mmCIF file of all heavy atoms in Angstrom:
data_model
loop_
_atom_site.group_PDB
_atom_site.id
_atom_site.type_symbol
_atom_site.label_atom_id
_atom_site.label_comp_id
_atom_site.label_asym_id
_atom_site.label_seq_id
_atom_site.Cartn_x
_atom_site.Cartn_y
_atom_site.Cartn_z
ATOM 1 N N PRO R 595 -44.097 23.501 -31.552
ATOM 2 C CA PRO R 595 -44.842 22.292 -31.954
ATOM 3 C C PRO R 595 -43.936 21.080 -32.172
ATOM 4 O O PRO R 595 -44.401 19.937 -32.070
ATOM 5 C CB PRO R 595 -45.519 22.709 -33.261
ATOM 6 C CG PRO R 595 -45.500 24.198 -33.252
ATOM 7 C CD PRO R 595 -44.325 24.636 -32.448
ATOM 8 N N ASN R 596 -42.650 21.292 -32.425
ATOM 9 C CA ASN R 596 -41.763 20.145 -32.692
ATOM 10 C C ASN R 596 -41.028 19.633 -31.467
ATOM 11 O O ASN R 596 -40.113 18.816 -31.602
ATOM 12 C CB ASN R 596 -40.715 20.523 -33.750
ATOM 13 C CG ASN R 596 -41.376 20.817 -35.080
ATOM 14 O OD1 ASN R 596 -42.418 20.222 -35.399
ATOM 15 N ND2 ASN R 596 -40.814 21.744 -35.834
ATOM 16 N N VAL R 597 -41.407 20.084 -30.278
ATOM 17 C CA VAL R 597 -40.672 19.636 -29.081
ATOM 18 C C VAL R 597 -40.761 18.105 -28.968
ATOM 19 O O VAL R 597 -41.848 17.530 -29.012
ATOM 20 C CB VAL R 597 -41.215 20.314 -27.787
ATOM 21 C CG1 VAL R 597 -42.711 20.096 -27.594
ATOM 22 C CG2 VAL R 597 -40.447 19.799 -26.558
ATOM 23 N N PRO R 598 -39.609 17.414 -28.847
ATOM 24 C CA PRO R 598 -39.688 15.965 -28.662
ATOM 25 C C PRO R 598 -40.093 15.645 -27.222
ATOM 26 O O PRO R 598 -39.681 16.353 -26.289
ATOM 27 C CB PRO R 598 -38.249 15.474 -28.930
ATOM 28 C CG PRO R 598 -37.366 16.680 -28.862
ATOM 29 C CD PRO R 598 -38.229 17.914 -28.927
ATOM 30 N N GLY R 599 -40.876 14.606 -27.032
ATOM 31 C CA GLY R 599 -41.297 14.225 -25.676
ATOM 32 C C GLY R 599 -41.503 12.734 -25.595
ATOM 33 O O GLY R 599 -41.995 12.126 -26.540
ATOM 34 N N PHE R 600 -41.088 12.147 -24.469
ATOM 35 C CA PHE R 600 -41.201 10.703 -24.272
ATOM 36 C C PHE R 600 -41.983 10.460 -22.979
ATOM 37 O O PHE R 600 -41.451 10.649 -21.877
ATOM 38 C CB PHE R 600 -39.799 10.067 -24.207
ATOM 39 C CG PHE R 600 -38.974 10.357 -25.441
ATOM 40 C CD1 PHE R 600 -38.129 11.463 -25.513
ATOM 41 C CD2 PHE R 600 -39.091 9.540 -26.566
ATOM 42 C CE1 PHE R 600 -37.397 11.747 -26.663
ATOM 43 C CE2 PHE R 600 -38.359 9.816 -27.729
ATOM 44 C CZ PHE R 600 -37.512 10.917 -27.771
ATOM 45 N N PRO R 601 -43.270 10.067 -23.097
ATOM 46 C CA PRO R 601 -44.088 9.895 -21.889
ATOM 47 C C PRO R 601 -43.517 8.807 -20.982
ATOM 48 O O PRO R 601 -43.021 7.784 -21.466
ATOM 49 C CB PRO R 601 -45.455 9.453 -22.443
ATOM 50 C CG PRO R 601 -45.448 9.854 -23.877
ATOM 51 C CD PRO R 601 -44.027 9.795 -24.328
ATOM 52 N N ASN R 602 -43.539 9.046 -19.683
ATOM 53 C CA ASN R 602 -43.199 8.002 -18.711
ATOM 54 C C ASN R 602 -44.187 8.097 -17.555
ATOM 55 O O ASN R 602 -45.118 8.909 -17.591
ATOM 56 C CB ASN R 602 -41.726 8.114 -18.265
ATOM 57 C CG ASN R 602 -41.412 9.439 -17.577
ATOM 58 O OD1 ASN R 602 -42.287 10.060 -16.964
ATOM 59 N ND2 ASN R 602 -40.166 9.883 -17.696
ATOM 60 N N GLU R 603 -43.982 7.300 -16.502
ATOM 61 C CA GLU R 603 -45.006 7.237 -15.447
ATOM 62 C C GLU R 603 -45.141 8.555 -14.666
ATOM 63 O O GLU R 603 -46.158 8.790 -14.021
ATOM 64 C CB GLU R 603 -44.729 6.067 -14.501
ATOM 65 C CG GLU R 603 -43.343 6.108 -13.890
ATOM 66 C CD GLU R 603 -42.897 4.748 -13.346
ATOM 67 O OE1 GLU R 603 -43.482 3.715 -13.738
ATOM 68 O OE2 GLU R 603 -41.964 4.756 -12.525
ATOM 69 N N ASP R 604 -44.122 9.433 -14.754
ATOM 70 C CA ASP R 604 -44.174 10.685 -13.989
ATOM 71 C C ASP R 604 -44.551 11.893 -14.833
ATOM 72 O O ASP R 604 -44.650 13.000 -14.317
ATOM 73 C CB ASP R 604 -42.803 10.952 -13.343
ATOM 74 C CG ASP R 604 -42.399 9.824 -12.408
ATOM 75 O OD1 ASP R 604 -43.275 9.360 -11.661
ATOM 76 O OD2 ASP R 604 -41.229 9.391 -12.462
ATOM 77 N N GLY R 605 -44.678 11.735 -16.129
ATOM 78 C CA GLY R 605 -44.994 12.866 -16.994
ATOM 79 C C GLY R 605 -44.413 12.648 -18.376
ATOM 80 O O GLY R 605 -44.595 11.584 -18.973
ATOM 81 N N VAL R 606 -43.687 13.649 -18.850
ATOM 82 C CA VAL R 606 -43.078 13.538 -20.187
ATOM 83 C C VAL R 606 -41.601 13.923 -20.078
ATOM 84 O O VAL R 606 -41.269 14.977 -19.520
ATOM 85 C CB VAL R 606 -43.778 14.472 -21.209
ATOM 86 C CG1 VAL R 606 -43.172 14.289 -22.602
ATOM 87 C CG2 VAL R 606 -45.275 14.203 -21.251
#
Side-chain angles (χ1 to χ4, degrees):
N596 295 329
V597 56
F600 303 92
N602 61 28
E603 56 199 19
D604 300 318
V606 183

